[in-house]
Amino acid sequence: MKRLTAAVVAATLGFSALGYAPVAKADEPYWQCVTFARMFSGINIFGDALTWWRQAQGKFRTGDRPETGSVLAFQPSGRMTRGHVAVVSEILTDRVIRVTHANWGGSRGRVEENVTVVDVSHDGDWTAVKVWYNPIHDLGTSVYPTYGFIHKAPALPSDGVLMASAPAADGQP
């Protein structure tokens, strides 16, 4: 089943890159943003998108700077009552990135690849963004509040030192 799912994702992303948007069929998967973000980023968080930021605390690094492969966590706002998560696919400037995400706006249940997202926050801290809206071929007019970025690397202890241990081999103290 995992191979079939991976093949469907690969095909969907391949068709998106070509600008081809096939008509949805009843047997095609309907992607939720959290399922796609978890699978695409490798960040194993479950539950509605609005819970991801809280769940990431202490388990993953979080911050206000994007990294390729990190997840941008959107706060609930307007009709987006359960929040949203999107995977950073490319960093263009300090205030412009591209994300790959699922189930956004006019692409309900579908994957959109390399969608432009612009930081419009006053302090340049990615707490407010605008997202490219393909039907108008421009940034949408809505400003979305975000929590920040969840990075795949585990959170470091507060002193910045990560300790590891291994069992001693036979004959060694």
Side-chain angles (χ1 to χ4, degrees):
M1 188 63 178
K2 286 183 179 180
R3 286 184 185 171
L4 176 61
T5 302
V8 169
V9 169
T12 301
L13 293 176
F15 285 132
S16 297
L18 297 172
Y20 173 71
V23 175
K25 296 184 178 124
D27 60 343
E28 289 181 353
Y30 184 98
W31 287 101
Q32 295 291 344
C33 66
V34 293
T35 306
F36 181 81
R38 182 175 45 252
M39 187 172 148
F40 197 68
S41 71
I43 295 174
N44 257 351
I45 297 178
F46 294 82
D48 288 339
L50 66 93
T51 70
W52 276 47
W53 186 254
R54 180 184 46 79
Q55 289 186 64
Q57 303 307 307
K59 294 179 187 168
F60 298 94
R61 282 187 312 109
T62 58
D64 62 2
R65 294 286 164 243
E67 295 175 10
T68 302
S70 60
V71 171
L72 177 57
F74 289 72
Q75 295 183 29
S77 69
R79 294 185 327 197
M80 193 172 56
T81 59
R82 293 185 175 164
H84 184 68
V85 286
V87 181
V88 177
S89 51
E90 186 177 6
I91 299 169
L92 300 176
T93 72
D94 63 335
R95 295 190 78 157
V96 181
I97 62 174
R98 289 201 173 125
V99 299
T100 297
H101 60 170
N103 200 26
W104 178 266
S107 298
R108 307 252 331 133
R110 309 209 37 116
V111 173
E112 288 183 296
E113 187 177 15
N114 295 321
V115 176
T116 301
V117 177
V118 177
D119 173 19
V120 294
S121 65
H122 182 265
D123 295 328
D125 60 4
W126 289 92
T127 55
V129 299
K130 283 190 169 189
V131 180
W132 184 264
Y133 188 54
N134 210 34
I136 63 171
H137 302 290
D138 200 354
L139 288 174
T141 57
S142 297
V143 175
Y144 298 97
T146 70
Y147 293 110
F149 297 93
I150 303 169
H151 309 292
K152 187 171 181 180
L156 293 175
S158 59
D159 62 2
V161 177
L162 187 60
M163 302 294 286
S165 65
D170 289 336
Q172 294 195 20

